[in-house]
Structure formats: C-alpha cells, structure tokens
Amino acid sequence: MKLNGSEILINTLIDEGVEIIFGYPGGAVLNIYDAIYKNEHRIRHVLTCHEQGAAHAADGYARATGKVGVCLATSGPGATNLVTGIATAYMDSVPMVAITGNVTTPLLGKDSFQEVDIVGITMPITKHNFIVREVGELQETIRKAFYIAKEGRPGPVLVDIPKDITAKISEYESKKPMELKKDCRYVTEKALANLAQFINKAERPLIFAGGGVISSGATELLKELALKINAPVATSLMGMGAFPGQHELYTGMIGMHGTKASNLLATKADLIIAIGTRFSDRVVANREHIKNAKIVQIDIDPAELDKNIKTDANIVGDVKYTLERLMNLIKEKRNDSWLELMKEYKALKSYKKDPDSVTPELLFNCLYKSFGEDLVMTTEVGQHQMWAALHYTFSKPRTLLTSGGLGTMGYGLGASIGAKIGKPESKVVNIAGDGSFSMNAIELATAVSNKVPVVVIILNNGCLGMVRQWQSFFYESRYSYTTLNRGTDYVKLAEAYGAKGYRVTEPSQIDEVLEEAFNSEVPVVIDYVINIDKKVFPMVAPGDPIDEIITEN
C-alpha cells in the first residue's frame, strides 16, 4: 500500500513492537504528530515537559523492560535537547531509538531556521545514526535502527528525518522485525578451554559482574558459576541485581565507593573473573592495584578487552551463550579458607550507625523492609546514588536504574516515569538529591498529567553533596558554590504540580509516610531532610589503590 512518510514511520514502529513513544512536538515533526493522532488507538505517546525528559523516560523504559525505548523530538533545539539522554544511554549500553525531525532536504546545510546537524553532533554518542534523504528508504532505515540498537552490545541509534520526507508518498508493506543473531564466532573450544584452565587452577577466585550479565539474561548462569566454584561475587554499579544481594557469596559493589569486602578481596584474589563489565576508573584502572590476580574477561564488545586492564585470557561473546558453553568445563571447588576471609571482610564496618537520626541508611532499611526485592529504583547522581547502591539490597535484574557511565544529574525522574509506564504493576521510586532533582523537576508535571504514580524521595542536605564531599577531603573544606541555600519548599512545589508532598525530619515519621506515598494514586515527593555533613563511606581517593579505603569508623 502507498502511505506518506509519517504513516510509514508509525506503522514501522508498530511492526517493531513499539507501544510507547516519549516526545515533544515541533514544526519539523508536525506530520509525524498528525500520524500519531490518527493512530492513537494503536500506539501511545507520552508528552514530556522537555526533550531531555523524553530521552530519560525512554531510557528508563528500556532498562526496566528490556525493550527498545523510543523518543521523538523536533529539529534544532528539540534535537539537541536529546543529546544528554542519548549520551547517558550510550555510556550504559541502553537500547534506544531517537527520532528527530529536520528542515526539508533543500534547506539542509543552509543554516535554516531550527536546523542543526544532529547526525554530526551525535555521531560519537550513538551506535549508529541515519539521515533519511529518500522516503523509499525510511522503512528499512527504521528497521535497521531497531536491529542495531538491540544487536550485540545494546545502545542508542538516531534517525533524522527531514520534514518533506515525512510528507512524500512511498510503498509500505508490513514486515516482521529483523531477526537477531548472536555473533558467537569467537567463543571457540580453544578459547573456552583456556579460560576454564585459569578458573580451575584458581584457589582465590573473585567474580566481578557488570551490566552485561543483565543485558544478556545470564543472571541464573552467574549464580550457577559462583556456587560451582564457591567464589565471592562483586558487582559494578551497573551490575547490581545481577546476583542476589542477600546471598552469602555476594560482597557488594566494588570500586571508589565499593564495600570493604569487595575491594579488599580484589587485592587478595589470585583470579578475577570479569563478566559483562569493563574496568573503569571508578572501579580499578591500574593493573598494579590488583597485581596478585590473573584476570580473565568475558564481554560482547571487543573494544572493552585489554582497554584499561591487560587480561590474561578473554573471550568476545554474549555472556549467556559463553557461560552456557563454559560451565561444563568448570570443576567444582570449595575454597574454604578463601570464603572464611570473605566472611571476615564482610563483617568490617565502614560507617557509624546513628539510629536516632534521619539518615540514608535508615531510609533504605525502611524501604527494603516494606517493599523488598520487587521495588524498582531509579536514582539521580551523587551521594544519594551511592547510598542506594551501598544500603539497599538489590536481588533482581532491572530493579536499579541509574546513570553509571555518564553520571547524569537530572536522569532519575524521567527514568522513573518510563519505568513505571513500562512496568505499571511495580512500585517505582526515584532517589534524588536536592541538586539533581532541581535540574528536571519540571517532569513532575509529566507524571501528574499522565497519571503515573511514581514516588520521589529527595535526600535533602541543602548542598551538592558529592562535590562538597570532595571539597571536604581534597580542597581543605573550601565549599565553593556547593552550598545551595535555595530555600525551595519541595512539599509546596509538589502540590503546585498536582502531586502530593511530605516532609520527614524525624525517624518516627518514615514508615507512615512511605505507606501513604506508595499507596497514592498520584505522584508523591518526599522531602527527606538529612545533615549537610553526612558523607558516603567507604571511599577510595581517585587514583589510589582500592584497598586504601577511607571510612567513618
């Protein structure tokens, strides 16, 4: 059948299984929005308050569901407002398709009104991007975009569509999505045998698991491997939920704000098995700091092998497929003395407990007591993000959605909206700092107008907490522009948007407020007031060995 470009776009999105688009209209995408209007019974559009909110919502939707998130923006400033969200998805390997409008093809490259080279701008932060110059190419371009976003290491793809392409007529025929095929050519018997040899010889193995375990659906295999070789399991921030947080073999996050157990074990291990993770500067990027260990790595992206840390053996391949093949080559072992050392390290404390004050630890204990492993948590970026990682027990994949690689303040609220829409049966909370929350607080209007009952908890310390913490340790407490003194009343702000607002200043208030908040049918903001000098412990100074741990005790 013959359809115009906008109709081809919407029908192709539906063919790809898209149910939700997060976006914001403008002149260059008016034809697309007209097609959305005509197909609103087949596909839902969520109007955000800002294009960055649309990108973060699509990201949160993708992380929570495992599906491709879709966002839509007009040309020029609409397109550039997506950039931070696209970069966030790129750094954390999130499958997303970002669709932008542009000026008509005759006006491209002429500095036309609201024209920008969004393809050039986003080239370093996408897996691939396209500009569609012929309407006959539109359907296949969209199909390729979804394939690329999902294939291999997931990531964002941008499709830029000039306005005249959305109006021109071309042939359309409904097609099934392109079949995903795992590239397993490097998962050879020789490579598997070599990796297995390192594991079978090890007496002090430590598994370091990352977000790739979750992306590949390999969480059960990870647990099977850990139990078979009796190895402690540490995770990256992105890997939280890949291994049951309450399991006796789990030692917590590793790195700059990692647990004592994970960091100390990494320096004592004779083998580190890195699975679906990279060695970033916030984990360990200096081979000398873990010189006692041989290192083996499994990752789908060959660019991550030997990039920061030289490995002794590695395999390029899908984690799930590789572990399935590897498991039969692995021998069972006990490692009793190694596990005793793990227990000793896990008993070490890093911070002082203060049961009589409103603290982050108390908040996360109350949240877990009430909602357990089924709570879906998004975060902004800063101290609150690290407190969440350290003090909440994540035991299921896709329950912690956070900006790990880019560290995007303002990410969490939009992401929570996307997550709640993607998983409406789940309780969804966004953990925020007052600095991060203020960046995209306007998306409260999106949650209210779309009846998305997310809960936002602001750990309000009146400052940019993580930056201030660094100023305390490394700048002799010269607090240059990190004390906010804004005087914002977050309860009144919530109410102004049509949400509910609560304030917690005493421990006795927490349980009742949480119960009311999570039973609300409208969005809720909780102003959780904490001490300005509260710091995140443990901590390793940038560049220091990971066993040189700063603690409060």
Side-chain angles (χ1 to χ4, degrees):
M1 74 179 82
K2 290 189 179 295
L3 300 174
N4 68 35
S6 298
E7 293 166 333
I8 290 171
L9 170 63
I10 298 305
N11 278 279
T12 307
L13 291 177
I14 292 169
D15 289 342
E16 291 292 329
V18 176
E19 298 173 336
I20 306 285
I21 303 172
F22 301 91
Y24 201 95
V29 288
L30 278 175
N31 294 329
I32 296 173
Y33 272 85
D34 194 49
I36 292 172
Y37 181 89
K38 294 173 182 176
N39 288 276
E40 60 184 6
H41 61 291
R42 303 170 65 204
I43 194 166
R44 179 183 176 188
H45 179 275
V46 175
L47 174 64
T48 58
C49 293
H50 191 285
E51 290 89 354
Q52 187 181 136
H56 292 327
D59 177 303
Y61 175 89
R63 296 194 204 215
T65 64
K67 301 175 183 178
V68 178
V70 179
C71 56
L72 171 62
T74 192
S75 63
T80 57
N81 281 343
L82 292 178
V83 169
T84 298
I86 293 170
T88 300
Y90 181 75
M91 291 290 284
D92 290 344
S93 306
V94 178
M96 177 196 292
V97 171
I99 300 165
T100 54
N102 214 327
V103 299
T104 58
T105 49
L107 293 178
L108 288 172
K110 296 183 178 180
D111 293 331
S112 305
F113 176 67
Q114 289 195 333
E115 180 199 359
V116 73
D117 179 12
I118 194 62
V119 169
I121 288 169
T122 60
M123 193 169 291
I125 55 168
T126 52
K127 281 188 73 178
H128 197 79
N129 57 24
F130 302 89
I131 182 166
V132 182
R133 296 181 181 272
E134 299 290 339
V135 68
E137 300 172 355
L138 179 57
Q139 182 179 9
E140 286 308 306
T141 300
I142 296 297
R143 284 163 50 77
K144 287 177 185 176
F146 275 82
Y147 178 84
I148 293 168
K150 294 182 287 186
E151 182 269 337
R153 181 179 181 174
V157 178
L158 181 131
V159 182
D160 192 38
I161 311 174
K163 187 173 183 179
D164 55 323
I165 301 300
T166 67
K168 289 182 178 179
I169 304 297
S170 185
E171 196 68 36
Y172 161 80
E173 179 184 350
S174 180
K175 296 179 181 179
K176 293 181 179 179
M178 297 170 68
E179 184 181 355
L180 281 174
K181 295 181 180 179
K182 293 181 179 179
D183 183 359
C184 302
R185 56 187 155 164
Y186 301 112
V187 188
T188 63
E189 294 297 335
K190 182 178 179 181
L192 289 164
N194 186 36
L195 204 71
Q197 186 177 29
F198 279 95
I199 296 173
N200 291 331
K201 284 183 178 180
E203 296 179 355
R204 301 184 306 280
L206 173 68
I207 296 173
F208 170 32
V213 176
I214 296 172
S215 296
S216 69
T219 54
E220 288 301 316
L221 282 165
L222 173 65
K223 184 177 177 181
E224 184 181 334
L225 174 63
L227 290 171
K228 192 167 188 177
I229 64 174
N230 264 304
V233 179
T235 62
S236 67
L237 180 65
M238 300 307 302
M240 301 199 79
F243 193 81
Q246 78 279 12
H247 198 283
E248 62 183 6
L249 288 176
Y250 185 60
T251 61
M253 188 169 63
I254 188 171
M256 177 176 285
H257 290 290
T259 64
K260 279 186 175 181
S262 292
N263 284 9
L264 292 172
L265 287 168
T267 66
K268 303 296 183 183
D270 63 0
L271 178 69
I272 295 176
I273 308 166
I275 306 176
T277 190
R278 60 193 179 94
F279 290 93
S280 78
D281 60 301
R282 287 299 174 100
V283 177
V284 56
N286 189 331
R287 189 71 170 80
E288 281 298 304
H289 296 168
I290 48 174
K291 60 185 177 183
N292 293 321
K294 300 286 185 182
I295 297 175
V296 298
Q297 187 175 7
I298 302 168
D299 202 281
I300 201 164
D301 186 354
E304 295 297 349
L305 302 175
D306 297 327
K307 183 172 78 174
N308 296 322
I309 295 286
K310 179 71 175 175
T311 60
D312 296 282
N314 58 62
I315 293 180
V316 178
D318 175 76
V319 168
K320 184 176 182 181
Y321 177 82
T322 304
L323 289 181
E324 286 172 341
R325 299 280 306 279
L326 183 66
M327 207 62 72
N328 292 331
L329 304 176
I330 302 299
K331 298 175 182 176
E332 292 187 17
K333 56 178 65 182
R334 291 181 57 87
N335 302 324
D336 289 339
S337 60
W338 179 230
L339 295 185
E340 283 301 315
L341 184 61
M342 176 196 72
K343 292 176 184 177
E344 180 182 323
Y345 286 161
K346 286 179 72 171
L348 298 173
K349 301 300 179 185
S350 303
Y351 63 94
K352 296 176 181 177
K353 289 189 176 181
D354 187 358
D356 299 321
S357 299
V358 173
T359 64
E361 303 85 25
L362 180 60
L363 170 65
F364 292 111
N365 287 338
C366 290
L367 278 170
Y368 189 77
K369 180 181 66 177
S370 297
F371 307 109
E373 61 187 22
D374 293 320
L375 183 67
V376 175
M377 184 180 293
T378 68
T379 82
E380 307 290 350
V381 170
Q383 287 179 314
H384 58 277
Q385 178 189 33
M386 294 298 102
W387 283 320
L390 288 165
H391 300 300
Y392 200 83
T393 305
F394 297 95
S395 293
K396 291 184 178 181
R398 305 191 182 279
T399 53
L400 175 62
L401 318 179
T402 189
S403 174
L406 194 63
T408 304
M409 294 174 68
Y411 165 81
L413 180 53
S416 71
I417 294 169
K420 182 65 176 178
I421 290 174
K423 299 181 74 173
E425 74 288 349
S426 297
K427 303 284 189 184
V428 177
V429 62
N430 176 39
I431 303 297
D434 46 321
S436 287
F437 176 75
S438 297
M439 288 194 166
N440 280 326
I442 194 171
E443 296 304 334
L444 270 180
T446 302
V448 170
S449 60
N450 287 278
K451 297 179 172 60
V452 184
V454 294
V455 176
V456 180
I457 304 177
I458 304 171
L459 277 70
N460 183 2
N461 55 8
C463 68
L464 301 178
M466 187 61 84
V467 187
R468 190 178 192 274
Q469 178 165 329
W470 280 45
Q471 288 173 336
S472 295
F473 288 134
F474 312 123
Y475 294 86
E476 298 178 337
S477 297
R478 294 187 294 273
Y479 300 126
S480 180
Y481 295 95
T482 50
T483 304
L484 297 177
N485 290 324
R486 286 176 175 158
T488 305
D489 187 324
Y490 294 108
V491 173
K492 290 180 179 178
L493 181 67
E495 293 170 349
Y497 276 114
K500 287 184 179 179
Y502 298 89
R503 181 169 292 110
V504 172
T505 57
E506 299 292 337
S508 60
Q509 299 172 303
I510 296 176
D511 289 333
E512 183 179 352
V513 168
L514 289 179
E515 182 178 359
E516 290 187 22
F518 282 94
N519 286 319
S520 173
E521 295 182 358
V522 299
V524 173
V525 174
I526 300 172
D527 183 12
Y528 189 85
V529 182
I530 63 173
N531 189 294
I532 193 171
D533 290 316
K534 182 69 176 174
K535 295 179 174 61
V536 177
F537 294 106
M539 178 180 179
V540 176
D544 280 2
I546 60 172
D547 58 346
E548 293 185 9
I549 303 168
I550 304 169
T551 68
E552 193 175 17
N553 286 333

